[in-house]
Amino acid sequence: MQENCCHRKSFDELTFTDDIMFQAVLSDPEIASELVERLLHIKVKKVEYPELEKVIAPYYSSKGVRLDVYLKDPEKVIDVEMQSHPQEALGLRTRYYQSMMDADCLLKGQDYPDLPASYILFICKTDPFKDDEEKKCGLPFYTFETVCREDGKVKMDDKTLKVIYNASAYEKAEDEKIRAFLRFIHTNNTGEDDFSRRLSMAVERMKENEKFKREYAVMNLHDRDIQRAARREALAQGMQQKALEATENLLRMNVLSVEQIAQATNIPLEQVREMARNIPVDSRV
């Protein structure tokens, strides 16, 4: 899942590519199934339960992973992620998501031979890959599976697949349906594509949903509270750092007692004494 940007959109500005709207629209199993079938070229027999922003944290001390949309049918598990803004370490992110999805299955009692096929699908508005010269690779999609380096015909058969779509290169997609979908992601223009129109209509329906609107407003308030708290903390840290720098300068000047310096800078007396012990006498003015 992508990080929130600093600017939170107004409710009316939301589009399909915004996390909260993406999750809300894909809560419809039919839409989720059609999107997966179109982009992964697999059949989804039946979505048992779409889980929006599923949190997988199998061990109390492990870093949990929050998935945008987590789908299952009897034979496969699928994580679908929308990435509107570039994120660091995309490859390592998919590696961790994969491991958490497998752990989630195993903890439910499955053994290794019973692990279902696993798919990770990223839909990116911009190209996440660059070549050795830092130029965008420019493919409309990238498919990764485990094959032997020495002989590409030899496959690991670990039943995993990762597909990364790059909407900015939609014009290069040969498949008409994929090209139309990526064009919608990149431009928010449905064109003549029926599925893109359905997605756009679903977005408009969600904007008429008062409960969804209230939830978004509450989320905005919560985010602003976090941002204000972060700003206060940063300000406090800045003031604390300046006080420590002033304390060190006064100690080096060697004109006031540690008690006077502690009172002047509001730094605890014991901390000032510790700082004084760490400043060599010959370095004082």
Side-chain angles (χ1 to χ4, degrees):
M1 174 185 179
Q2 66 193 48
E3 323 299 349
N4 289 330
C5 358
C6 329
H7 168 65
R8 170 73 72 173
K9 288 183 177 181
S10 71
F11 185 75
D12 291 334
E13 291 177 314
L14 292 176
T15 67
F16 177 68
T17 61
D18 291 298
D19 269 356
I20 188 170
M21 187 62 77
F22 178 73
Q23 295 155 19
V25 171
L26 263 68
S27 66
D28 181 334
E30 291 187 8
I31 289 179
S33 297
E34 187 167 345
L35 183 143
V36 165
E37 290 178 358
R38 178 177 291 214
L39 297 185
L40 292 180
H41 306 291
I42 59 175
K43 293 297 294 182
V44 179
K45 294 181 179 179
K46 179 183 179 183
V47 175
E48 291 184 355
Y49 53 92
E51 295 187 50
L52 300 186
E53 281 208 294
K54 177 181 175 67
V55 178
I56 299 176
Y59 308 108
Y60 77 91
S61 59
S62 70
K63 173 182 171 63
V65 56
R66 184 177 293 275
L67 307 179
D68 277 357
V69 180
Y70 188 60
L71 308 176
K72 287 187 177 183
D73 78 4
E75 299 174 353
K76 61 185 74 70
V77 290
I78 306 162
D79 167 37
V80 187
E81 300 286 328
M82 173 61 69
Q83 183 172 287
S84 296
H85 305 278
Q87 301 292 328
E88 293 182 353
L90 179 63
L92 296 177
R93 188 183 296 264
T94 62
R95 171 181 162 184
Y96 189 68
Y97 286 12
Q98 181 69 67
S99 67
M100 291 295 100
M101 290 165 67
D102 287 343
D104 187 50
C105 291
L106 288 173
L107 286 172
K108 289 178 170 59
Q110 291 173 298
D111 205 349
Y112 296 122
D114 302 321
L115 279 173
S118 174
Y119 298 84
I120 294 180
L121 171 61
F122 267 74
I123 304 167
C124 304
K125 293 189 72 173
T126 59
D127 195 340
F129 296 107
K130 297 179 181 179
D131 61 21
D132 293 339
E133 297 178 354
E134 290 298 303
K135 293 181 181 178
K136 296 290 187 181
C137 294
L139 296 179
F141 56 88
Y142 305 84
T143 304
F144 301 92
E145 58 183 342
T146 310
V147 298
C148 177
R149 178 179 293 180
E150 288 74 22
D151 184 347
K153 295 178 182 178
V154 179
K155 297 184 179 181
M156 180 67 78
D157 193 27
D158 56 3
K159 298 197 293 186
T160 66
L161 191 74
K162 302 175 182 68
V163 182
I164 317 295
Y165 275 91
N166 166 28
S168 66
Y170 69 89
E171 293 177 332
K172 297 181 181 179
E174 295 181 2
D175 185 296
E176 182 180 350
K177 290 184 176 181
I178 288 179
R179 183 169 62 251
F181 174 76
L182 293 181
R183 179 176 182 269
F184 171 60
I185 296 299
H186 186 64
T187 66
N188 200 38
N189 188 331
T190 64
E192 299 299 316
D193 182 52
D194 288 340
F195 183 56
S196 298
R197 287 180 175 178
R198 283 178 58 202
L199 294 175
S200 183
M201 290 171 61
V203 169
E204 294 309 310
R205 284 196 300 272
M206 292 307 303
K207 287 184 178 181
E208 296 173 0
N209 186 313
E210 290 299 322
K211 180 176 182 292
F212 180 61
K213 188 173 184 177
R214 287 195 299 271
E215 289 174 352
Y216 186 72
V218 169
M219 183 185 299
N220 266 345
L221 290 173
H222 177 65
D223 284 355
R224 285 200 289 269
D225 286 344
I226 292 175
Q227 290 170 3
R228 281 194 291 267
R231 284 196 293 270
R232 286 195 298 269
E233 184 177 351
L235 178 61
Q237 289 176 348
M239 293 175 64
Q240 177 75 358
Q241 183 60 36
K242 288 181 179 179
L244 290 170
E245 290 172 359
T247 299
E248 183 174 343
N249 289 337
L250 289 172
L251 288 169
R252 291 186 184 280
M253 291 171 63
N254 202 26
V255 293
L256 297 175
S257 68
V258 291
E259 289 80 7
Q260 290 172 319
I261 293 173
Q263 185 174 10
T265 62
N266 204 31
I267 297 295
L269 179 57
E270 286 305 314
Q271 187 173 353
V272 175
R273 286 174 175 163
E274 181 64 25
M275 291 175 67
R277 285 193 288 269
N278 292 328
I279 300 176
V281 176
D282 57 7
S283 70
R284 302 186 187 186
V285 178

